[in-house]
Amino acid sequence: QSALTQPASVSGSPGQSITISCTGTSSDVGTYNSVSWYQQHPGKAPKLMIYDVSNRPSGVSNRFSGSKSDNTASLTISGLQAEDEADYYCTSYTSISSLYVFGTGTKVTVL
Amino acid sequence: QVQLVQSGAEVKKPGSSVKVSCKASGDTFSSYGISWVRQAPGRGLEWMGSIIPILDIADYAQKFQGRVTITADKSTSTAYMELSSLRSEDTAVFFCARDRPGDFYFDYWGQGTLVTVSS
């Protein structure tokens, strides 16, 4: 089972919007609406930001939104803030060899 | 308030085993599963396996099959991950995380446990 493909890095200025892509296959992202996104600051545990493609847990800012088209899921951060600088990972349910597959991770830099 | 509290850092010799614990608060063990996720230094997240404590059913990623064992003690609401035949490449932070059977996402995470494999 190969990892989902994410860009290694994405950057933006404060106030801008950025989008992180997460590309899988028909065995995971393309078939199942079980895509979730996690934010991880250095030395910390990941934090759930989006689940089931586009749902936000209680307490997560509405600046974070998720979507999916075909085999690619996306996380958009609008009104970028300094505190959004972190690593972001997508994950999906997969029907091949394990329950979950993670993305390769994206480092978000706020310029 | 849900908390997952993991055991402390470990240093192990190559070829040995390590067992990491994850103690859950609240009603986690009555309704949820516990997964284990590995993160090597400077690398991404990797799902290793999970257990549904009330059913005592464990599932493992193919990559770790035969080398990892995940168990749960319902009496103490503690899950365990044991990794055997350790090698230097297993040096990593191991996280436990909570998910609900049928809901494929992790809503709470432990603080992580660093395991260093070194001779």
Side-chain angles (χ1 to χ4, degrees), chain A residues 38 40 45-46 97 99-100 102, chain B residues 39 45 47 62 99 106 109-110:
Chain A
Y38 302 86
Q40 187 181 34
S97 79
L99 283 180
Y100 295 94
F102 277 97
Chain B
Q39 186 170 38
L45 303 171
W47 184 77
Q62 194 168 48
D99 63 358
F106 308 112
W109 294 69

Side-chain angles (χ1 to χ4, degrees), chain B residues 1-4 24-34 53-54 77 98-100 107-108:
Chain B
Q1 179 175 340
V2 176
Q3 276 193 303
L4 301 176
S25 64
D27 67 347
T28 293
F29 266 45
S30 62
S31 308
Y32 293 85
I34 297 289
I54 56 170
S77 296
R98 190 181 85 160
D99 63 358
R100 193 200 300 265
D107 57 355
Y108 288 93

